[in-house]
Amino acid sequence: MSGLALTNVTKEFGSFTAVNNVGLNVPHGTFVCMLGPSGCGKTTLLRMIAGLDLPTSGSIRLDGEDITHVPTHKRNLGMVFQSLALFPHLTVGENIAYPLRIRSAPKEEQKKRVDELLSMIHLSGYADRPVSKLSGGQRQRVAIARALSISPKLFLLDEPLSALDAKLREAMQVELRQLQQKLGITTIVVTHDQREAMTMADTVVVMQGGEIRQAASPMEIYRKPADSFVADFIGQTNLLEAELDSTGRALVLGQPVEGIAFKAGMTKATLSVRPEDVHLTAPGARALAGTVTFVRDLGGTIETFVDVAGRQIIAVSTPRARPDVSVGQSVGVVLSPDVCVVLAR
Amino acid sequence: MRREAPQKIGDYAPLFFPATMLIVFFVVPFATMIAVSFFQRQQGGFYVPAFVLSNYERFLSLFFANVLGFSLMLAVVVAICCVVLALPFTYLLTRMKRKVQIVWLVALLSVLSLSEVIIGFAWSTLFSRTAGITNLLVMAGIMSEAKALLPSFGAVLTGMVYQAFPYTVLVLYPALVRLDPTLTEAARTLGASPVKAFFTVVVPALRNTIVATLIMVFIFALGSYLLPQLLGRPQHWTLSVLITDQAIYQSNMPFAAAMAVFLVLVTLGLVALTVMAGRKGEAA
Amino acid sequence: MTGMFRKLYFFLIGLFLALPMIVVAGVSVNEKQTLAFPPKGFSLSWYGEIFLNPEWRNALFASVTLAVLSAALAVAIALPLSWFLWRRVAPWANIFQLIGVAPFTLPPVITALGLLTFWATTGFYGQPWTAVISHAIFFVTLPLVTLSLGFTAIDRSLVEAAATMGADDRTIFRTVVLPLILPYIVSGYAFAFVLSLNEYIVAYMTVGFVMETLPIKIFNALRYGYTPTMASVTILFVATAAVIFSLVARFGDLPKLLGAMASDDK
């Protein structure tokens, strides 16, 4: 199979299991974002793919070849570090040429390739500058160019944009995605920023506690989260307890809601409802009864906080569809079945 | 906390004791030594205040040229040996687990704190005929008969490298600990083997540290006053040994002081030269 | 492959560092007064000799007294100086930091000779207390460096917080600064103590003709022949240093302490 395949990869540090029995297939040319809270094992997984850490068990294959125990320097990959790790004693051009120099490429070829890459990252003419004289965004580009200078099979990035300010980061996300699509290179990015993951990835891999919780397209992750952790971690959501009563009717926060389909054998569940899918109406039989506790007007969106049986439900709407409510008012909360995701509890 | 300039005279109070001690017992003695170097020596080990240059004129002989040349050569060789041995060692040490590092650091500090007397005694035992390392080689059947390995230049060099090695490691340690580990990781992901990464990234990135360490170990080695005497022959004596010898056994204080002043000047001069050369190299 | 190579390299360095001590340890347990290795017979009597023979015992007593007092004096000089430099903006006062580091950086013979001429000129030459002051000045570098490092590690907002609660400068020093700096005082003292215990040239040039510290005693004994007591004293010294530095490592952060120590030397 062409691409990267992880099978049963486990990494233990003493008694601590950083990565637990992970399996993942990354087809050639795919852009994968590994997303999760700090300590979830995503960086360890990336380091194992790079060969900087060795798995305790399991195997890593690249284009069908087992590379689990191939030393890092023989894997022909490109990696961008969180610290960027630009060599302080080398100029911009020398940094980019480093992988070629290590492989004893002819001088003219090195120079040609450096010029090519510099123009690709819009830094032509910067070859002889010391890296310390560059701005944050420029160093970022140099680190990317250096990782791509041998046209690697695999492009790995560890929190590559975390040092940049918000505006520059968003611009770089778009640029990085466009570059990857142009080159068609298999890319894996580790990030804790879900906007970054949603912007760039073909596949988002959500990790927690050393395990993969879900690996799917950004839309699917958002619309069909596999469990309540994913639902809560990606975007904003309302997680509501639901159960079947003795007659087989679905109760949400103790109040009946029609049309919620439990999977066979389930009697208890958690519902995930995105705030933009929650609608407020006048109190009535087809809605949960609640009381408005707070209204947050953010200009572009309006968030209404509603207390239902002691739990807080957030509804988000646009200014045009602003609900006509005020704090203390009794309202009905409408949960339509097609937007409720039923998750195991 | 706002750090502020001292406002009233009382704010200087904490400085009083340390400043007095350092001035009276370091600056004044240093100046005394310089003064004594111009004094006139009298028979019987005494000297009288005067201003004569005869103590310095004694340097202008082939004998002292040889001693100075040998001292500098020895210190350079020791510095190079120590840095070559210690650089990869320290680099690998800083990449080890903390607990392992601490064990090595304790061992290195223990050796570093040993006085030259003890180091000299230990190596003279190790190189002796009756209790030396050659006995082990005889037992192993490699040598047929135990023999003394001292006095010799090799013994002096070994002893001094032994003395300066822990110092070298501890001077290199902070720079290597702070060296961003992702630099070598980056080099490896870019195709450099660990050895190649060491020579293409670690060594060049630390060029200034390495030069500074060479200078510091050089000065450290210049200060060795007993090992050349205990492990070598008279032709292996260095300036530090001669100073000790003149001050204590020949009781010629003015001449010892003149040599000490000369040693300070040579040391500072060489350091200045190296620093200047380093600056020029960087500018080019 | 590279792992094997690294292990061999570390083993050889370790052997180089340990070999003289192994041989000396072997020599120290010889039964008779011979310099032989491997040792002939086994006896710990040469360790007893350090405490039983009055000459060695006096030297041991002199060395320990000198180390205890001079290390204390070195800390007493270093503490107010480093506190002042941390507390106040007084760039010219940094000259004292420089003077404090100089004796340890220059070849030791120079400091020793300077002190010798000084004590001789002032007429105090040979008084035991001159050795205490001489060692304190010679080793003041060590507490000075550990304390400067310790002060930079103290968050200045703690001092501000104490001030908002009504503490004056003196109270702040006693209740906030001193407890936080204490580990650095202890390690600075420990470094100065161990090095003073081992020091030869300064002690020899200041009081060498009237009293014997252990290193002086070893050197004198070395000139008149050989006795295994030198070997047992050597092992005692190495063991003492190892124990003290292990304690510093146990109760303090040794890598951190050394991380800044040498960088301040530069």
Side-chain angles (χ1 to χ4, degrees):
Chain A
M1 194 203 87
S2 129
L4 179 74
L6 309 180
T7 317
N8 302 333
V9 174
T10 296
K11 176 69 181 177
E12 288 162 5
F13 294 105
S15 61
F16 173 70
T17 305
V19 171
N20 189 11
N21 203 21
V22 160
L24 183 68
N25 282 317
V26 180
H28 179 80
T30 321
F31 196 124
V32 173
C33 274
M34 298 204 284
L35 185 62
S38 58
C40 70
K42 56 191 193 297
T43 295
T44 307
L45 193 57
L46 190 78
R47 289 174 62 84
M48 288 192 284
I49 295 169
L52 295 168
D53 282 331
L54 288 181
T56 311
S57 62
S59 76
I60 301 169
R61 304 173 79 83
L62 182 61
D63 293 344
E65 184 201 350
D66 188 337
I67 59 163
T68 318
H69 295 285
V70 173
T72 301
H73 61 279
K74 292 184 181 153
R75 293 192 184 195
N76 287 330
L77 40 83
M79 180 157 170
V80 176
F81 289 75
Q82 185 169 11
S83 65
L84 301 186
L86 293 176
F87 301 133
H89 58 292
L90 301 180
T91 62
V92 168
E94 287 168 341
N95 260 286
I96 296 175
Y98 183 86
L100 306 167
R101 177 162 71 95
I102 284 296
R103 291 170 173 79
S104 312
K107 279 266 183 303
E108 319 80 76
E109 197 190 310
Q110 291 186 26
K111 196 182 167 320
K112 189 166 151 271
R113 182 72 180 139
V114 168
D115 289 343
E116 246 172 64
L117 286 156
L118 282 174
S119 90
M120 180 184 86
I121 58 169
H122 316 299
L123 285 177
S124 297
Y126 278 67
D128 295 326
R129 303 230 183 155
V131 286
S132 57
K133 293 275 153 59
L134 300 182
S135 71
Q138 289 170 334
R139 302 165 111 202
Q140 189 68 56
R141 287 162 211 256
V142 173
I144 290 169
R146 183 179 70 173
L148 293 174
S149 69
I150 56 154
S151 307
K153 283 186 190 172
L154 204 53
F155 186 27
L156 308 174
L157 302 95
D158 182 11
E159 305 265 8
L161 307 176
S162 59
L164 304 180
D165 64 58
K167 216 167 187 173
L168 193 52
R169 186 159 65 225
E170 306 230 326
M172 282 299 293
Q173 287 165 6
V174 174
E175 213 170 300
L176 196 55
R177 173 59 166 166
Q178 287 169 339
L179 183 67
Q180 184 267 344
Q181 281 175 328
K182 199 169 88 190
L183 300 174
I185 184 170
T186 311
T187 302
I188 302 179
V189 177
V190 158
T191 178
H192 65 273
D193 178 348
Q194 47 167 300
R195 278 179 66 88
E196 193 165 300
M198 304 297 258
T199 308
M200 300 191 295
D202 295 309
T203 303
V204 175
V205 175
V206 181
M207 290 188 69
Q208 204 243 336
E211 287 170 7
I212 292 183
R213 289 308 184 91
Q214 190 172 11
S217 71
M219 249 325 111
E220 194 176 336
I221 292 266
Y222 189 78
R223 283 283 149 222
K224 291 181 189 149
D227 60 23
S228 53
F229 173 80
V230 176
D232 195 36
F233 189 73
I234 305 290
Q236 222 182 357
T237 197
N238 296 296
L239 291 177
L240 310 171
E241 292 107 48
E243 64 260 314
L244 294 181
D245 68 6
S246 51
T247 65
R249 203 168 49 143
L251 300 179
V252 177
L253 297 177
Q255 302 179 37
V257 176
E258 276 175 32
I260 305 282
F262 276 46
K263 288 190 192 96
M266 270 176 129
T267 56
K268 281 164 41 172
T270 299
L271 289 194
S272 165
V273 193
R274 299 288 176 192
E276 63 269 24
D277 295 329
V278 176
H279 296 291
L280 302 179
T281 59
R286 293 187 165 271
L288 304 180
T291 314
V292 176
T293 57
F294 192 74
V295 178
R296 173 152 70 181
D297 193 335
L298 295 168
T301 53
I302 292 119
E303 296 178 3
T304 311
F305 292 48
V306 180
D307 181 288
V308 176
R311 295 299 303 264
Q312 180 174 279
I313 295 180
I314 301 174
V316 170
S317 51
T318 58
R320 284 163 193 278
R322 171 193 285 272
D324 186 18
V325 294
S326 53
V327 173
Q329 190 180 326
S330 294
V331 289
V333 178
V334 180
L335 304 175
S336 57
D338 51 321
V339 298
C340 291
V341 182
V342 181
L343 304 167
R345 170 142 69 103
Chain B
M1 182 187 73
R2 205 170 67 253
R3 263 184 96 203
E4 52 194 12
Q7 304 293 313
K8 45 189 191 299
I9 199 79
D11 292 343
Y12 288 103
L15 208 52
F16 179 75
F17 178 66
T20 310
M21 291 299 283
L22 288 171
I23 288 172
V24 174
F25 298 113
F26 182 72
V27 178
V28 173
F30 201 81
T32 315
M33 184 183 76
I34 295 175
V36 167
S37 74
F38 293 105
F39 286 4
Q40 179 76 49
R41 189 198 176 207
Q42 290 199 315
Q43 284 305 315
F46 296 101
Y47 47 88
V48 290
F51 186 81
V52 294
L53 293 172
S54 59
N55 301 313
Y56 288 92
E57 279 159 12
R58 282 183 69 180
F59 296 145
L60 303 173
S61 67
L62 193 61
F63 175 70
F64 279 99
N66 278 339
V67 170
L68 180 64
F70 179 77
S71 305
L72 297 180
M73 185 275 286
L74 182 62
V76 167
V77 173
V78 169
I80 292 172
C81 287
C82 282
V83 171
V84 167
L85 273 178
L87 186 64
F89 174 82
T90 316
Y91 172 70
L92 293 171
L93 182 68
T94 57
R95 299 293 171 266
M96 290 178 150
K97 283 186 197 135
R98 268 183 74 84
K99 274 188 185 159
V100 181
Q101 285 190 35
I102 288 173
V103 171
W104 277 98
L105 290 174
V106 167
L108 289 164
L109 279 171
S110 305
V111 172
L112 180 64
S113 65
L114 289 179
S115 83
E116 280 199 56
V117 178
I118 288 179
I119 293 176
F121 163 64
W123 280 97
S124 62
T125 310
L126 194 66
F127 284 148
S128 69
R129 190 178 55 80
T130 51
I133 187 158
T134 52
N135 290 289
L136 292 177
L137 298 178
V138 170
M139 271 169 64
I142 301 170
M143 274 174 78
S144 58
E145 194 173 58
K147 63 171 192 174
L149 297 173
L150 83 174
S152 68
F153 178 73
V156 175
L157 187 62
T158 311
M160 285 177 67
V161 169
Y162 182 82
Q163 183 191 21
F165 178 81
Y167 183 72
T168 316
V169 173
L170 295 178
V171 171
L172 287 171
Y173 184 77
L176 283 165
V177 160
R178 286 173 205 168
L179 182 74
D180 184 357
T182 59
L183 285 184
T184 44
E185 285 182 352
R188 283 166 60 204
T189 62
L190 296 170
S193 65
V195 174
K196 220 168 191 176
F198 180 75
F199 285 109
T200 56
V201 174
V202 177
V203 174
L206 288 172
R207 208 188 57 191
N208 293 342
T209 306
I210 293 171
V211 171
T213 308
L214 278 169
I215 295 174
M216 290 190 61
V217 180
F218 169 80
I219 296 175
F220 187 84
L222 266 186
S224 182
Y225 51 85
L226 270 182
L227 295 177
Q229 202 180 342
L230 292 175
L231 301 173
R233 295 195 168 86
Q235 69 261 33
H236 301 136
W237 285 19
T238 58
L239 209 49
S240 280
V241 176
L242 277 190
I243 294 171
T244 317
D245 184 59
Q246 284 294 330
I248 297 185
Y249 304 108
Q250 317 296 328
S251 297
N252 191 345
M253 290 296 295
F255 185 46
M259 282 196 287
V261 171
F262 185 64
L263 181 59
V264 173
L265 292 179
V266 168
T267 311
L268 293 180
L270 281 171
V271 170
L273 263 181
T274 321
V275 170
M276 262 160 52
R279 287 243 175 88
K280 218 172 254 170
E282 243 161 68
Chain C
M1 171 58 205
T2 45
M4 278 284 291
F5 179 75
R6 193 180 61 195
K7 276 191 187 129
L8 184 69
Y9 177 45
F10 269 69
F11 173 75
L12 289 176
I13 295 275
L15 191 67
F16 176 59
L17 292 177
L19 202 56
M21 295 308 134
I22 293 170
V23 171
V24 171
V27 165
S28 75
V29 295
N30 265 310
E31 210 169 316
K32 301 231 173 69
Q33 185 165 351
T34 47
L35 183 67
F37 186 84
K40 296 196 171 77
F42 180 84
S43 153
L44 288 175
S45 62
W46 303 110
Y47 287 87
E49 184 82 358
I50 305 172
F51 303 95
L52 297 176
N53 181 320
E55 277 185 31
W56 285 102
R57 192 176 56 210
N58 287 343
L60 177 67
F61 181 72
S63 273
V64 173
T65 313
L66 175 59
V68 167
L69 295 177
S70 63
L73 184 56
V75 170
I77 295 171
L79 182 60
L81 178 56
S82 48
W83 182 68
F84 180 84
L85 292 176
W86 177 70
R87 175 76 183 83
R88 301 285 175 191
V89 184
W92 58 269
N94 282 315
I95 185 81
F96 292 111
Q97 176 94 6
L98 203 66
I99 296 174
V101 175
F104 200 68
T105 319
L106 288 172
V109 165
I110 289 165
T111 311
L113 196 63
L115 287 160
L116 168 56
T117 57
F118 176 75
W119 296 123
T121 309
T122 51
F124 296 116
Y125 177 70
Q127 304 274 354
W129 54 266
T130 60
V132 174
I133 294 181
S134 302
H135 263 190
I137 296 293
F138 189 48
F139 292 122
V140 74
T141 310
L142 301 158
L144 199 56
V145 169
T146 53
L147 285 170
S148 312
L149 165 69
F151 277 116
T152 52
I154 296 181
D155 182 354
R156 287 175 192 277
S157 65
L158 295 177
V159 174
E160 288 176 349
T164 62
M165 291 174 235
D168 63 11
D169 237 28
R170 194 174 279 264
T171 317
I172 290 174
F173 183 79
R174 199 164 40 78
T175 56
V176 179
V177 176
L178 202 56
L180 289 173
I181 203 75
L182 196 62
Y184 296 90
I185 295 181
V186 172
S187 36
Y189 184 89
F191 283 119
F193 176 84
V194 173
L195 270 95
S196 166
L197 210 55
N198 277 279
E199 206 282 331
Y200 167 76
I201 189 84
V202 171
Y204 190 69
M205 285 210 186
T206 52
V207 293
F209 283 111
V210 288
M211 60 187 272
E212 282 183 324
T213 62
L214 271 181
I216 296 176
K217 174 77 187 147
I218 297 177
F219 184 69
N220 289 344
L222 208 54
R223 288 169 65 204
Y224 298 119
Y226 167 79
T227 156
T229 317
M230 296 178 202
S232 56
V233 170
T234 300
I235 296 305
L236 183 72
F237 268 33
V238 178
T240 309
V243 166
I244 291 180
F245 292 130
S246 303
L247 286 176
V248 170
R250 175 77 182 70
F251 294 106
D253 187 342
L254 194 59
K256 191 172 147 198
L257 222 44
L258 294 170
M261 199 162 133
S263 75
D264 280 4
D265 280 348
K266 261 183 258 159

